[in-house]
Amino acid sequence: MNILPSDMKFGTRQPVKRLEDERLITGRGRYTDDRESAGALWLYILRSPHAHARILSIETGGALEFPVVVAVYTGADLVAENVGTIPTLPIFKRPDGSDASFPPRRLLAHEIVRFAGEPIAAVVAQTRQAAQDAAEAINVEYELLPAVTHVQSALATGAPRVWEDIPDNIAAAASYGDAAAVDVAFAKAAHVVALDIRNQRLVPNAIEPRANLAEPDAEGRLTLRVPSQTPASTRDILADAVLKRPKDSIRVLVGDIGGGFGHKTSLYPEDGLVAYAATKLNKAVRWRADRIDDFLSGTHGRDLVTHAELAFDANGRILAFRAKATGNTGAYLSGTGNIIPLVLGPFVSTGLYDVPLVRMETQSVMTNTAPIGAYRGAGRPEAIFTIERMMDAAARQLKMDPRELRKINFVKPEQMPFTNFMGQTYDSGNFGKLIDRASAASDWAGFEARKAAAQAKGLLYGRGVASYIEWTGGNALIEPAKLHVTGDGRAIVYSATQAMGQGLETSYAQMVSQALSIPIEKVEVVQGDTDLIGGFGSVGSRSLYIGGSAVAASITDLVEKARPLAAEMLEAAMQDLEFSGGRFRIAGTDRQITLAEIASKQPESRLSVSSEGKVDGPSWPNGTHVAEVEIDPDTGHVRIARYATVDDVGIPMNPMLVEGQMHGGIVQGAGQTLYEGAVYDEDGQLLTATFMDYQMPRAEDFPFFQTELDESSPSKINPLGAKGCGESGTVGATPTVMNAVIDALSPYGITHLDMPLTPAKIWQAIATHKKAA
């Protein structure tokens, strides 16, 4: 049964408009804070104003005097009640071989606060405003401690300790490759290129702030409504680690999510607090973040510094790559705080290139800042930015066409499957073809004319190219799905993946509609209910290629379950039945029966299967991006003039949805290059805690994108041939725009700048180099 190519209007590979959109854009979306709960109490968080301090006392009496205040909790209260902490993976070692060490992440700080914005007390009241007013009456006495906010400072001799159990602030470290062999390769190299590269800290800023609502029932069971990308793990951590109760005593429900980007994975302290308060008080309790709460205490992204070097022979062939990278974890380790710099980044650190020798040394360092977590790409954007900046710098140093240098070193199609130095296997791809297609799509030959026209107006003009590869899916390579066909001709899909803007409802409905000939408007997709289905969820661009594989398996399983039932009803042998058009037919006759008719004879008038989709490994989307920028040398302002991409996402279930994902990713990636950056001062205060200080990209900052897909290298590790695409645009855009800006600035001898490339920074660089000249 084929569920891939089709001429059906609503089948797969068709640009079907998103089924979700009418509901969402007409105000009928149901986000967590939209949910009504009669009589629900409100919880408000009092946060530490200090980045590092010892809590000497917390006096809550003033808050409890407010007549509508129901309860006030402190860290000491939760410790006394044996409330647990939020875990992270203890799978890494420190440089001396000892186990990774980090402070416990409590729901409320106890004895020590380690970053400005850390929760220290919670007030529960009848209204949100009353809870906030009462929180201001809490008196906290602190003993201020020295803080450290940057990894370089945290590694300095005598630096303040973020966690008293380790003297050097290094939470964990890892190294890969043969250092001695790499040193030999560098010693005989004809050319060596080196750069110090900084991926600045970013704030995810989903349009929907975090929120939650916890409701106990009469039997003592707890329902938590929360915008989580991973509902089942949110439930499991809450049950096992925090509240220490059976998993089946908690139900997690997720409605519409207004953007996730990795920021809304797993469990936050605020989620645990409302669950604890609801259980303790036996009343519904809710919380909603203000924007500043997400700035201060939501997980941030990136924050990695790298020294990288490439060795080349005289013909431009890479001989070796070595790098030392240091990732900032913040004050506490999120579930991915160590994994991002120590594993995910190294996985793709050599990009699309066949690099014979590699040495990588990585470490994660704690500082008195908000925790670092997954943010669209999670380690891969940082690594690809590093290798693509290196390749561009090398092309300039070797005086080679940046495309040709890349093509010389690309992994070739005949080398597939190709295993890189980290043991990661690229299953398919034709990287040289994509850079050629991107050259054509960008009108490479017309660049000089456009540059001359810009220069005639007194502007600088530059072009950048970057080729990327993305590791998607994670190590959770199995996902469940359930499928029901009803007697009235409807289909219901249950998936453990989680929609947050990707269009999963549409993609899954397309698959079922095509395979079972059920009108797409009669296909319902249900997600976000741990009572109905539990799985890994949606992270790492895994939803379609793993979750979709599970839906495909459920389609096949349902047809095979129906086959003997159809044979019995038609009084025919199973081998004589053909299935197409949503019905079984006895071969060579007109006797037939539909799935709906079969379902109508089953209990509850429903034909159902529970299935599992398993893929053979991560998928490897890849592509080439080309950007052109113009810069006003008098102001330093950068305008992206043109942007073209050719991307390999395998077989696209819905090309329109893929294009949308690419557009959003490009904007976020370019946003890092040009605009965004979270800045702490030396005392640990976040200076960019509002949109007045933290610049976000806007639609008017970008041209129309020229995006093309290449389907010639479908994935070989899943039945759909699909590759994850949700993060690809971000991975490719950041180095592409940076390379274009450096090209435009090259007449001044500028070879590298740190992000973000603000007008002031560019103007200052131009002025400095003019003066030096």
Side-chain angles (χ1 to χ4, degrees):
M1 180 177 57
N2 180 20
I3 63 166
L4 294 178
S6 173
D7 294 328
M8 293 175 60
K9 182 178 180 182
F10 296 110
T12 55
R13 295 174 80 170
Q14 301 300 311
V16 176
K17 291 183 179 179
R18 298 195 340 165
L19 305 178
E20 306 92 322
D21 282 355
E22 182 180 356
R23 180 182 83 251
L24 296 175
I25 66 177
T26 56
R28 291 183 289 117
R30 297 287 285 168
Y31 301 91
T32 298
D33 200 51
D34 293 328
R35 300 287 174 174
E36 295 181 0
S37 181
L41 302 172
W42 279 91
L43 183 142
Y44 183 82
I45 304 291
L46 179 66
R47 302 184 182 278
S48 170
H50 306 296
H52 200 194
R54 183 171 285 107
I55 300 172
L56 300 180
S57 66
I58 302 180
E59 178 55 56
T60 62
L64 288 167
E65 291 177 0
F66 281 66
V68 293
V69 169
V70 178
V72 179
Y73 304 114
T74 67
D77 296 329
L78 301 191
V79 170
E81 294 258 335
N82 196 31
V83 175
T85 60
I86 299 174
T88 192
L89 295 174
I91 59 176
F92 298 98
K93 300 290 185 181
R94 288 188 8 90
D96 61 6
S98 61
D99 290 341
S101 183
F102 38 84
R105 184 75 198 273
R106 303 184 185 279
L107 304 187
L108 293 171
H110 178 55
E111 298 179 343
I112 299 287
V113 294
R114 293 185 172 87
F115 70 95
E118 183 173 2
I120 56 172
V123 178
V124 183
Q126 292 176 10
T127 68
R128 189 170 186 262
Q129 186 62 55
Q132 182 174 352
D133 291 343
E136 294 176 0
I138 296 174
N139 183 38
V140 185
E141 184 181 358
Y142 298 97
E143 176 191 343
L144 297 187
L145 301 172
V148 62
T149 58
H150 304 290
V151 292
Q152 296 93 335
S153 301
L155 292 171
T157 302
R161 293 188 187 187
V162 177
W163 169 230
E164 51 270 25
D165 283 8
I166 58 172
D168 54 12
N169 291 318
I170 301 175
S175 60
Y176 309 98
D178 187 334
V182 168
D183 289 345
V184 170
F186 269 84
K188 68 179 183 181
H191 305 280
V192 173
V193 178
L195 284 177
D196 289 303
I197 293 172
R198 176 176 173 267
N199 272 272
Q200 77 273 33
R201 178 179 287 243
L202 304 176
V203 179
N205 281 319
I207 195 170
E208 175 205 23
R210 291 177 293 130
N212 49 48
L213 168 62
E215 299 171 294
D217 65 19
E219 286 72 42
R221 198 158 186 260
L222 183 70
T223 296
L224 176 67
R225 295 183 182 272
V226 60
S228 173
Q229 299 173 220
T230 53
S233 70
T234 297
R235 175 203 60 193
D236 295 350
I237 293 171
L238 180 62
D240 293 342
V242 176
L243 298 183
K244 302 175 183 178
R245 55 189 286 178
K247 293 178 187 177
D248 60 9
S249 71
I250 296 176
R251 180 187 191 185
V252 170
L253 289 174
V254 180
D256 291 315
I257 299 179
F261 312 123
H263 174 66
K264 293 176 180 173
T265 54
S266 196
L267 188 84
Y268 275 94
E270 294 89 347
D271 304 325
L273 284 168
V274 296
Y276 167 78
T279 303
K280 182 80 172 174
L281 301 171
N282 197 31
K283 291 180 179 292
V285 179
R286 68 191 313 158
W287 169 83
R288 182 187 71 239
D290 287 326
R291 181 59 64 179
I292 197 169
D293 293 317
D294 272 347
F295 268 105
L296 291 175
S297 65
T299 55
H300 295 172
R302 312 289 189 256
D303 208 339
L304 182 86
V305 294
T306 305
H307 175 78
E309 300 178 15
L310 275 174
F312 292 86
D313 68 16
N315 298 315
R317 183 74 177 85
I318 297 174
L319 299 176
F321 171 65
R322 62 186 175 196
K324 294 184 178 181
T326 301
N328 190 341
T329 69
Y332 298 96
L333 268 73
S334 70
T336 54
N338 272 330
I339 294 172
I340 290 169
L342 303 187
V343 178
L344 299 186
F347 273 176
V348 298
S349 57
T350 52
L352 301 89
Y353 307 109
D354 182 2
V355 181
L357 294 168
V358 179
R359 175 64 177 178
M360 282 210 70
E361 299 175 13
T362 65
Q363 58 186 352
S364 56
V365 173
M366 291 183 291
T367 64
N368 295 113
T369 60
I372 291 290
Y375 176 55
R376 202 169 190 170
R380 287 92 79 198
E382 298 95 305
I384 294 299
F385 181 79
T386 297
I387 192 68
E388 286 303 295
R389 283 294 299 124
M390 296 295 293
M391 291 300 287
D392 218 60
R396 198 169 299 280
Q397 183 172 317
L398 274 62
K399 296 181 172 55
M400 292 182 65
D401 184 321
R403 299 169 300 169
E404 291 307 310
L405 183 64
R406 287 171 169 84
K407 290 171 73 172
I408 289 171
N409 291 286
F410 278 157
V411 175
K412 306 301 188 290
E414 57 270 20
Q415 293 177 268
M416 299 292 180
F418 176 83
T419 301
N420 72 9
F421 82 103
M422 287 291 292
Q424 297 299 302
T425 301
Y426 305 171
D427 65 310
S428 65
N430 190 335
F431 311 142
K433 177 184 178 183
L434 267 58
I435 202 169
D436 288 341
R437 283 193 58 185
S439 296
S442 67
D443 183 26
W444 191 276
F447 169 74
E448 292 299 335
R450 292 188 292 274
K451 181 177 181 178
Q455 290 175 332
K457 294 185 286 186
L459 301 174
L460 305 173
Y461 202 79
R463 173 175 58 197
V465 59
S467 296
Y468 74 90
I469 194 162
E470 234 274 82
W471 173 94
T472 71
N475 293 320
L477 303 177
I478 299 175
E479 197 69 26
K482 296 179 182 179
L483 178 61
H484 309 282
V485 171
T486 65
D488 59 358
R490 295 179 298 113
I492 306 170
V493 180
Y494 292 90
S495 173
T497 59
Q498 186 59 53
M500 50 185 155
Q502 320 97 304
L504 294 180
E505 181 179 331
T506 303
S507 296
Y508 294 163
Q510 285 181 261
M511 294 171 65
V512 173
S513 175
Q514 175 179 312
L516 303 183
S517 296
I518 294 174
I520 198 168
E521 65 272 13
K522 290 190 174 184
V523 180
E524 179 184 0
V525 178
V526 178
Q527 301 174 89
D529 188 338
T530 58
D531 273 9
L532 297 177
I533 192 166
F536 192 79
S538 290
V539 297
S541 300
R542 69 187 300 275
S543 300
L544 193 281
Y545 100 91
I546 301 180
S549 294
V551 173
S554 73
I555 293 168
T556 299
D557 291 348
L558 186 133
V559 171
E560 292 311 307
K561 181 176 182 177
R563 189 178 298 276
L565 301 173
E568 180 180 353
M569 293 177 182
L570 293 172
E571 299 179 336
M574 284 197 295
Q575 61 267 28
D576 293 335
L577 296 183
E578 299 172 341
F579 181 80
S580 66
R583 64 194 67 220
F584 289 95
R585 180 181 291 103
I586 301 175
T589 75
D590 61 357
R591 294 184 60 206
Q592 58 187 2
I593 188 169
T594 67
L595 286 175
E597 290 170 327
I598 297 171
S600 69
K601 305 300 182 183
Q602 307 310 306
E604 300 181 356
S605 191
R606 176 179 288 195
L607 182 65
S608 304
V609 294
S610 295
S611 303
E612 193 173 73
K614 185 178 187 304
V615 301
D616 296 331
S619 78
W620 298 95
N622 59 89
T624 293
H625 292 203
V626 181
E628 295 178 12
V629 302
E630 59 182 30
I631 301 175
D632 183 341
D634 294 329
T635 65
H637 179 262
V638 177
R639 185 180 77 87
I640 300 175
R642 295 167 66 90
Y643 203 102
T645 79
V646 178
D647 298 283
D648 168 12
V649 299
I651 303 299
M653 292 294 103
N654 183 321
M656 184 186 297
L657 298 185
V658 173
E659 186 176 6
Q661 288 291 296
M662 290 297 173
H663 287 190
I666 290 167
V667 169
Q668 280 184 281
Q672 177 178 359
T673 310
L674 298 177
Y675 310 118
E676 299 185 51
V679 179
Y680 284 91
D681 69 14
E682 292 183 358
D683 295 324
Q685 296 300 317
L686 184 62
L687 303 180
T688 52
T690 74
F691 289 134
M692 293 293 290
D693 306 296
Y694 187 98
Q695 184 177 354
M696 296 284 287
R698 299 172 296 182
E700 66 182 22
D701 297 325
F702 295 90
F704 287 102
F705 302 132
Q706 173 69 35
T707 56
E708 298 180 10
L709 300 179
D710 186 281
E711 301 181 26
S712 63
S713 301
S715 175
K716 298 178 181 179
I717 52 87
N718 69 84
L720 305 179
K723 304 176 183 181
C725 72
E727 296 159 306
S728 295
T730 305
V731 177
T734 309
T736 301
V737 176
M738 172 62 87
N739 288 342
V741 171
I742 295 301
D743 183 55
L745 296 174
S746 61
Y748 296 101
I750 297 170
T751 59
H752 186 70
L753 292 172
D754 284 334
M755 301 180 288
L757 302 178
T758 61
K761 185 179 292 183
I762 289 176
W763 182 89
Q764 186 62 57
I766 292 172
T768 299
H769 283 78
K770 277 183 177 179
K771 185 176 181 180

